[in-house]
Amino acid sequence: MEGPLQTSIHVCHENAQWMSKLPEKLWDTPLFNLSLPGSHDTMTYCLDKNSAVSGNESKLVKFLNKCMPCIVRPIIMKWSITQVLTVTEQLEAGVRYLDFRIAHKSSDPSTNLYFVHMVYTTVIVQDILWEVLKWLETHPQEVVILACRNFDGLTKKLHCHLITCIKQIFQCKLCPRNVVPTLRTMWQRGYQVIVSYEEDLEVLKHCELWPAIPYWWGNKTTTHALIQFLELMKQMGRPETFFVAGINLTENLRYILVHPFGSLKTMTLRSLPCLKIWVRKQYPGPQKECINIIAGDFIGNDDFVRDVIELNTKINPQLDCPSKGSGPKSISFSAF
């Protein structure tokens, strides 16, 4: 059963430095065996309502948007926005995985790159990377994963431009992929940024880039179906390194037609109570059914980030992941 609609937005600043407050027994646990909160389609809080529809959308969507913009454009916006907090606010709230969908506008002669989700953002990628760096400089023991994906319209030249920007901005904060990313190692070497890059040929050229991080995307319109999908994926077994369990629902044309006054936000907020229960039952760790990154929409609307962080209290580095039905271990953090 879907829960009641909640609309309050709050940023829990107490989670801004949660990694630095983890108990020492977890400092040598690889980050891919910890529980990390993430945001799905991180940059959709600043979509440009006046921008063109992105190049990889269907011809039908482009045609309808061109013929009936006054009707179609508001619908696109309602179902494209997945976040309302800025990237700095998300980091401050405790999010440590940022889902960056990057694109180049086909009509733009410049090398400016944007974020995209059906339409493009008002901000360019380079400015957001600088914003992330500024936040990291005031939080020296926090580690952020930047998942660079999509790459609609990017040529080899633009990939080179983007990677050059990443290297120039983050410099020695970039963790090479041959390093086992434990907190102790990251802190000792000054690493704060892990960049996964969804373009294999570019990853091979640059040791600072990590392979694309698998994202368990259910493509479901109901909470029940999404949870079934996630449980099935767990039964199949987690990857050995980073991966994301996406607790984001996804609309389709039928759902939009049946809910003409709905939006992705109302769809998401009604699902939160059930998803909260599922999240709290999870265990991080290396075993088959353990989780790593959990990413969601509208991360400021719930205790989602706190719940994901607190899953780390269940970790005992000396023991295997607990079996189903066993209670959480009596491990506690310093006060957040």
Side-chain angles (χ1 to χ4, degrees):
M1 179 182 293
E2 306 290 349
L5 181 62
Q6 300 173 358
T7 58
S8 62
I9 295 288
H10 65 279
V11 179
C12 181
H13 296 278
E14 294 178 351
N15 290 333
Q17 303 194 65
W18 69 266
M19 285 181 157
S20 68
K21 297 175 182 177
L22 287 175
E24 187 173 359
K25 64 172 65 180
L26 297 183
W27 293 359
D28 296 308
T29 299
L31 295 181
F32 44 76
N33 290 335
L34 294 179
S35 176
L36 309 176
S39 60
H40 168 249
D41 264 309
T42 300
M43 295 304 302
T44 56
Y45 64 85
C46 59
L47 292 178
D48 184 358
K49 64 181 180 181
N50 297 314
S51 91
V53 174
S54 69
N56 62 357
E57 293 303 322
S58 68
K59 292 181 180 180
L60 176 60
V61 171
K62 293 177 183 177
F63 174 76
L64 293 175
N65 181 63
K66 184 176 181 180
C67 295
M68 301 180 291
C70 294
I71 297 174
V72 175
R73 183 51 61 103
I75 295 175
I76 288 176
M77 297 302 292
K78 285 199 305 178
W79 295 98
S80 297
I81 296 173
T82 68
Q83 306 295 340
V84 293
L85 299 183
T86 68
V87 70
T88 296
E89 289 172 336
Q90 291 180 40
L91 292 169
E92 195 71 12
V95 168
R96 295 296 177 266
Y97 166 91
L98 302 178
D99 179 17
F100 284 168
R101 314 291 180 94
I102 297 172
H104 181 258
K105 297 179 181 179
S106 59
S107 58
D108 189 349
S110 75
T111 57
N112 285 340
L113 299 175
Y114 296 83
F115 302 97
V116 66
H117 189 215
M118 292 197 74
V119 294
Y120 302 97
T121 55
T122 56
V123 299
I124 61 173
V125 171
Q126 195 168 352
D127 288 346
I128 294 301
L129 297 181
W130 282 112
E131 186 174 340
V132 172
L133 175 66
K134 182 179 178 180
W135 186 87
L136 288 170
E137 288 176 338
T138 59
H139 300 77
Q141 288 187 292
E142 300 303 300
V143 177
V144 175
I145 299 171
L146 308 182
C148 298
R149 311 170 62 193
N150 189 272
F151 300 135
D152 177 34
L154 265 69
T155 60
K156 289 184 178 180
K157 181 179 179 181
L158 289 172
H159 275 293
C160 181
H161 169 68
L162 174 58
I163 295 167
T164 299
C165 286
I166 291 171
K167 288 184 176 183
Q168 288 178 345
I169 291 170
F170 295 113
Q171 299 185 25
C172 60
K173 291 184 182 295
L174 289 169
C175 178
R177 65 177 176 271
N178 64 345
V179 172
V180 178
T182 66
L183 286 174
R184 193 187 302 274
T185 299
M186 302 287 279
W187 293 341
Q188 289 176 344
R189 303 185 187 183
Y191 299 145
Q192 284 188 273
V193 182
I194 291 173
V195 177
S196 75
Y197 206 83
E198 202 172 58
E199 181 59 54
D200 293 343
L201 292 178
E202 298 299 333
V203 171
L204 293 174
K205 299 176 189 176
H206 305 276
C207 66
E208 300 89 348
L209 301 181
W210 291 60
I213 295 176
Y215 193 108
W216 291 355
W217 176 52
N219 194 20
K220 307 296 183 183
T221 60
T222 68
T223 310
H224 177 71
L226 176 59
I227 291 174
Q228 280 190 323
F229 165 78
L230 293 173
E231 288 298 316
L232 177 61
M233 295 300 291
K234 285 170 56 183
Q235 290 172 20
M236 294 172 63
R238 59 155 293 169
E240 292 184 0
T241 183
F242 292 109
F243 76 102
V244 184
I247 61 166
N248 50 290
L249 295 175
T250 306
E251 82 290 346
N252 53 35
L253 180 58
R254 179 183 178 186
Y255 188 93
I256 293 173
L257 293 175
V258 173
H259 301 83
F261 302 107
S263 67
L264 188 58
K265 185 173 184 178
T266 57
M267 182 186 193
T268 298
L269 298 188
R270 289 194 178 100
S271 73
L272 290 179
C274 291
L275 290 173
K276 177 197 286 280
I277 294 171
W278 182 84
V279 167
R280 289 180 172 180
K281 291 179 179 178
Q282 304 313 303
Y283 288 89
Q287 282 71 28
K288 179 180 177 181
E289 294 194 5
C290 290
I291 56 85
N292 174 213
I293 302 164
I294 303 180
D297 291 335
F298 300 102
I299 58 95
N301 276 95
D302 196 68
D303 297 326
F304 161 71
V305 173
R306 185 191 66 187
D307 290 342
V308 175
I309 294 171
E310 289 186 350
L311 293 178
N312 291 301
T313 63
K314 301 180 180 182
I315 298 176
N316 188 330
Q318 305 303 319
L319 300 175
D320 289 338
C321 182
S323 60
K324 288 185 178 180
S326 60
K329 302 295 179 183
S330 56
I331 302 171
S332 61
F333 296 133
S334 309
F336 285 158

